Amino acid sequence: MTAVLATAVLLLAAGCSSGDDKAPAGRTGATSAPAAPSSGAGGSPSPTGPPAKGSVKVVSTLTQGLKSPWGVAPLADGDLLVASRDEGTITRIDAESGKQTQIGSVPGVSPGGEGGLLGLAVSPSFASDHQVYAYFTTESDNRIARMLYDEQKPAGQQLGAPDTILRGIPKGSIHNGGRIAFGPDKMLYAGTGETGDKSLAQDKKSLGGKILRMTPDGRPVHGNPEADSIVYSWGHRNVQGLAWDSDKRLWASEFGQNTWDELNLIEPGKNYGWPEVEGKAGKPGFVDPVAQWRTADASPSGIAYAEGSIWMASLRGERLWRIPLAGAKPSAQPQSFLQGKYGRLRTVVSVGGAKLWLVTSETDNRGTPEPGDDKILQLDVK
C-alpha cells in the first residue's frame, strides 16, 4: 500500500518535544479541543466508518494510588497486570473491586529518565504456559524477557526468573520505546526508540527506532522484510503505541520533535522517515503519517482500537484522541476528550465492545500529581 497525502490543517504552534514533554501545570474540566489534521493512508477504505462524532463516558475509577504505571496486560478473567516503570514491579488489579496485589518484581530493571519497566503482554497461550512478557531497561540495554506467573505462590513471589528472549535494544535517558503486543498472527511486536541518537532510526542494523516482529521465543519470523531480521519497519523516532484494527492492520503512535506527532499505518519493510522528515512531507521513499498533531496537543502514548476508531492517549496534550476509520483511512477529523481533566494519559486498553481502560501518568516525574494519582479509569466509548 502507498500513503495518500491529504491537506494538513495547522494548529497552534508548540515548543520542542525532546521526549514525552512535561504537561502544563494544573487541570481543567473536560472539554473538546480543535480537531487535529487527518489524512488518508494506503489501501481501499471500507464503505462506511463509525459516526464522525463520538463520545466518551467515564464510568468509574477502577483503582488509584498507582506509582508510575506504564504497561498494561489484560488477563482472560478481566483483571489487569500493570507495570510500574520506576518501581520495577508488576501489580494485578481486580477488574471488579480494583484491589491491587503485587505479583512480583522484575530483576535487572534500571529506571531512569524515560526508561524502566515499560510494556507488558501475556502469551497468546497464557492459559497453558502462564508466560508474562516485559520490555524493560537495564544498566546496559533495553530487552524483552518472559516470566512464569504462578498464581498459587504468595503475593509478591509469583513471578519466575526472567527468560530473556531479546537483548541489545539501545537504551537512553529518552526515547526507549517500550510498547509490546502480540498481534493477530500470535507474533510479538515491539516499538523501540532511537535514544536521542537520530542516526539509529535509519540504520537497519540497529534495533533502535524500529518496530520489531518476532516469534514468542524472540526469533525472526518467516515473512519479515529481511530474512534473519526482526526489523519490521524503520525510520521511527520513538514508537509508543501499537494496535490492530478489525481488518488486522497495524497502527502505531509516535513522538515527534518540534512540530508533528504521528499516527502511522504500519507496513512491513517501509521507512517512516525519521530524522529525514517529521510529519507529512511527501518525500519519495518515506511513508507519511495518516494523522498528525502539534506536539502541545498530543505527545502520544498508548493506543487501542474500539468501536471503529483508534483511541490515543496523550501525555503533554492531557487528552484522549478518537480517530474514526473507514478502512485504512480516517473517515473524519480526530476528536479529543477529557482534555486536562485527568492530567497526562499513558495507556489505553480495549477489552472488547465499547469498554476501554485508561491509565493516567502523573507520577512519572513530569506530571503534577494530585491526591489519588495515578488512576485507572473505565470508559464507555462510541
Side-chain angles (χ1 to χ4, degrees):
M1 294 188 288
T2 304
V4 178
L5 301 178
T7 302
V9 179
L10 294 181
L11 299 179
L12 296 176
C16 176
S17 177
S18 61
D20 56 343
D21 282 356
K22 183 178 176 66
R27 301 181 195 170
T28 62
T31 60
S32 284
S38 66
S39 73
S44 300
S46 61
T48 60
K53 297 295 184 181
S55 65
V56 170
K57 178 183 179 183
V58 179
V59 176
S60 65
T61 298
L62 173 64
T63 196
Q64 57 186 359
L66 297 171
K67 297 179 180 180
S68 60
W70 211 99
V72 176
L75 297 173
D77 65 359
D79 288 0
L80 303 173
L81 298 182
V82 180
S84 171
R85 187 192 69 183
D86 298 339
E87 303 290 321
T89 57
I90 300 177
T91 298
R92 182 168 180 157
I93 311 296
D94 186 286
E96 297 297 328
S97 68
K99 179 184 177 182
Q100 301 178 19
T101 303
Q102 188 179 122
I103 67 170
S105 299
V106 180
V109 173
S110 179
E114 295 173 9
L117 179 57
L118 302 174
L120 292 181
V122 296
S123 166
S125 305
F126 182 81
S128 58
D129 66 25
H130 307 290
Q131 295 286 343
V132 175
Y133 287 71
Y135 182 119
F136 58 96
T137 312
T138 73
E139 291 287 349
S140 60
D141 64 358
N142 284 296
R143 61 184 61 177
I144 301 172
R146 59 187 175 187
M147 297 156 284
L148 181 66
Y149 175 24
D150 185 351
E151 299 178 38
Q152 303 305 312
K153 290 187 175 181
Q157 303 174 36
Q158 296 174 344
L159 288 178
D163 170 22
T164 299
I165 66 164
L166 179 67
R167 66 183 73 237
I169 303 170
K171 64 165 282 188
S173 61
I174 58 173
H175 303 179
N176 288 286
R179 198 69 64 178
I180 57 174
F182 280 94
D185 56 2
K186 298 185 179 181
M187 297 296 109
L188 181 63
Y189 293 72
T192 73
E194 34 77 306
T195 72
D197 180 351
K198 298 178 181 179
S199 66
L200 298 184
Q202 292 294 320
D203 180 359
K204 287 187 178 181
K205 295 181 180 179
S206 171
L207 298 179
K210 309 295 189 297
I211 292 177
L212 311 175
R213 177 176 181 251
M214 67 200 82
T215 69
D217 296 323
R219 297 192 298 268
V221 182
H222 177 71
N224 274 5
E226 294 185 9
D228 301 322
S229 174
I230 61 173
V231 172
Y232 193 67
S233 64
W234 50 299
H236 298 287
R237 185 169 182 264
N238 192 22
V239 176
Q240 290 288 289
L242 299 171
W244 287 262
D245 64 24
S246 57
D247 291 320
K248 301 182 180 180
R249 286 177 287 253
L250 174 59
W251 301 81
S253 60
E254 182 168 346
F255 285 141
Q257 180 170 293
N258 296 329
T259 312
W260 298 115
D261 292 325
E262 300 179 355
L263 177 68
N264 286 296
L265 177 60
I266 302 302
E267 302 175 57
K270 294 298 180 68
N271 185 343
Y272 287 79
W274 180 254
E276 301 302 318
V277 296
E278 180 183 358
K280 300 172 187 175
K283 192 171 181 179
F286 302 123
V287 179
D288 277 350
V290 170
Q292 61 185 19
W293 292 260
R294 291 295 190 184
T295 53
D297 298 326
S299 292
S301 190
I303 61 173
Y305 177 80
E307 299 295 290
S309 297
I310 295 290
W311 300 85
M312 186 177 82
S314 293
L315 292 161
R316 185 181 175 195
E318 296 189 350
R319 67 197 80 175
L320 179 68
W321 285 100
R322 172 186 184 262
I323 305 96
L325 301 177
K329 297 181 180 181
S331 58
Q333 291 280 11
Q335 183 183 8
S336 75
F337 298 92
L338 309 179
Q339 183 182 344
K341 189 172 184 181
Y342 297 98
R344 294 160 60 81
L345 305 178
R346 173 69 66 181
T347 299
V348 57
V349 178
S350 173
V351 287
K355 181 178 177 179
L356 298 179
W357 295 117
L358 180 64
V359 184
T360 68
S361 190
E362 287 288 287
T363 60
D364 65 350
N365 298 317
R366 289 182 173 175
T368 307
E370 295 182 359
D373 285 332
D374 272 309
K375 305 177 178 74
I376 299 179
L377 308 172
Q378 180 184 339
L379 309 182
D380 277 352
V381 301
K382 293 181 180 179

